[in-house]
Amino acid sequence: MLYVDKEAVARYLTMELSLKLSEIAFKLQSERKVEQPLRNIVKGEDGSLMGTMPIYIKEGPYQGFGLKSVVVRFQSNGSKPSHVGSVLVYDEPGVSGMAVVDAGAITEIRTAAASAYATHLLAAKDASRLAILGTGLQARAHLQAMLYVRPIKEVTLWGRSEERCREFATWCDKTLNLAISIKSSPAEAVLNSDIICTTTASRNPIISRKELPAKCHVNAIGASALGFQELNEDVYSNTALFTDSNESVLAASQSVIKAREKGILSESAIGIEIGTVSQSHANLSEQGVTIFQSVGLAVQDMVFSREVIRQLIKMS
């Protein structure tokens, strides 16, 4: 059995490669070339969750079975991964038996890469003002991903902990040589932003429609299970919604479910799956607000995991 640790995942999955893998995964999803049941969730007494995500890719270079099993602890220290688990990869050429890949590292990279891919397609080409809501690993990963796809010059940050915000700012200065401005509220942080990334585990909305700039792109990734909500349901009014999977978002996104119940979103048309989007949709944010709602898909985990296994074997 082959085991791929988090160091190897980070070493081989560059942002350039991760953007390509995101495109592949989302197209497989939208073209219905996967068997991918909805994520199964088991709740722990301490508020933690365990999720299992089986997958079969029907055709193409990443064809085969896989299973992601992960425990998510939302209150973990921001310097430690909130997602701990494994991606099991079956029938991978060149591997004897089953391969196991660190799920925390895969989740961190593929989630930020998904937002970067959506931002590449939907945000204004000259978008330079970024707001990050949250201070954990996904906040850091999203900052780096946004820097890769857009010419970011200004960064604003909001988090519940002043200490964590200061730690984030120090990391940003030392690692990226980039100064950030810490704000006292989410509304203040997103003011005048071109791109907004929500990466919190908030159980109550932190952003409403009236607080969004007239033109911006939002990557909403933190509230990926029922019981969590970053966006008020009114944010979907007069905005363009894009999803990783309409079915998965409708099952797991509390804000989207409430928006449909209130008639803000249509019963028949939730959003546009990002796997169907081409460059013809580019610069929609110049006309208003675009939102990429992502809850995470097993097809992403499997495409990324199979690729990192192949990179590891190639370089061994």
Side-chain angles (χ1 to χ4, degrees):
M1 183 179 72
L2 174 68
Y3 176 70
V4 185
D5 61 21
K6 62 181 181 181
E7 288 78 16
V9 172
R11 183 164 61 250
Y12 294 117
L13 291 180
T14 64
M15 184 52 63
E16 180 181 5
L17 175 58
S18 295
L19 286 172
K20 295 177 182 177
L21 296 177
S22 295
E23 180 178 14
I24 291 168
F26 288 136
K27 286 186 175 180
L28 285 169
Q29 153 63 28
S30 294
E31 292 171 1
R32 304 300 182 257
K33 294 180 179 178
V34 297
E35 290 291 338
Q36 182 176 237
L38 293 172
R39 178 169 43 207
N40 183 52
I41 297 290
V42 177
K43 297 182 179 180
E45 294 181 353
D46 59 353
S48 59
L49 304 174
M50 180 177 182
T52 55
M53 302 164 66
I55 175 74
Y56 177 68
I57 298 176
K58 300 177 183 179
E59 59 183 73
Y62 300 101
Q63 181 179 2
F65 287 102
L67 172 69
K68 180 182 181 180
S69 177
V70 64
V71 172
V72 185
R73 293 185 172 87
F74 294 98
Q75 302 303 321
S76 64
N77 185 291
S79 63
K80 297 180 180 180
S82 58
H83 293 63
V84 178
S86 300
V87 180
L88 308 183
V89 180
Y90 299 88
D91 304 319
E92 175 61 26
V95 177
S96 176
M98 179 178 62
V100 181
V101 184
D102 184 281
I106 289 290
T107 301
E108 179 181 345
I109 293 172
R110 63 87 154 146
T111 304
S115 293
Y117 179 67
T119 301
H120 166 69
L121 289 174
L122 301 173
K125 297 300 182 184
D126 61 351
S128 62
R129 296 168 295 187
L130 170 66
I132 299 285
L133 305 185
T135 57
L137 291 180
Q138 273 303 331
R140 297 186 182 196
H142 271 71
L143 173 54
Q144 292 173 305
M146 296 304 107
L147 288 169
Y148 188 85
V149 294
R150 285 297 183 268
I152 303 301
K153 297 177 181 177
E154 299 178 24
V155 181
T156 54
L157 173 72
W158 172 82
R160 289 187 179 83
S161 166
E162 291 184 10
E163 180 182 359
R164 293 268 292 276
C165 285
R166 289 193 298 268
E167 291 174 354
F168 189 103
T170 299
W171 167 84
C172 188
D173 181 51
K174 291 182 178 180
T175 306
L176 305 173
N177 193 29
L178 181 67
I180 67 172
S181 178
I182 299 172
K183 301 299 182 180
S184 60
S185 69
E188 187 181 357
V190 304
L191 184 67
N192 298 323
S193 294
D194 301 313
I195 301 170
I196 300 166
C197 297
T198 66
T199 69
T200 75
S202 179
R203 294 185 179 273
N204 298 295
I206 56 176
I207 287 292
S208 65
R209 181 67 178 88
K210 66 181 180 180
E211 293 164 337
L212 292 177
K215 298 178 182 180
C216 67
H217 172 68
V218 181
N219 295 307
I221 65 96
S224 59
L226 296 180
F228 301 88
Q229 186 173 350
E230 296 181 299
L231 306 182
N232 189 293
E233 50 269 25
D234 69 359
V235 301
Y236 304 105
S237 177
N238 297 317
T239 60
L241 175 61
F242 297 81
T243 71
D244 52 4
S245 161
N246 283 347
E247 180 185 20
S248 295
V249 164
L250 190 54
S253 173
Q254 193 158 285
S255 58
V256 168
I257 293 171
K258 288 183 178 180
R260 193 171 81 154
E261 290 173 348
K262 293 183 177 181
I264 298 171
L265 289 173
S266 167
E267 287 281 341
S268 60
I270 298 301
I272 301 170
E273 291 192 349
I274 201 69
T276 67
V277 176
S278 66
Q279 286 294 336
S280 63
H281 288 93
N283 297 331
L284 278 176
S285 62
E286 293 182 0
Q287 304 173 30
V289 177
T290 56
I291 300 172
F292 175 55
Q293 193 91 37
S294 170
V295 296
L297 305 176
V299 65
Q300 295 169 269
D301 299 311
M302 191 51 45
V303 168
F304 276 65
S305 294
R306 286 196 184 275
E307 182 61 34
V308 77
I309 290 168
R310 293 168 190 181
Q311 293 290 327
L312 178 62
I313 293 174
K314 178 181 177 181
M315 299 303 292
S316 297

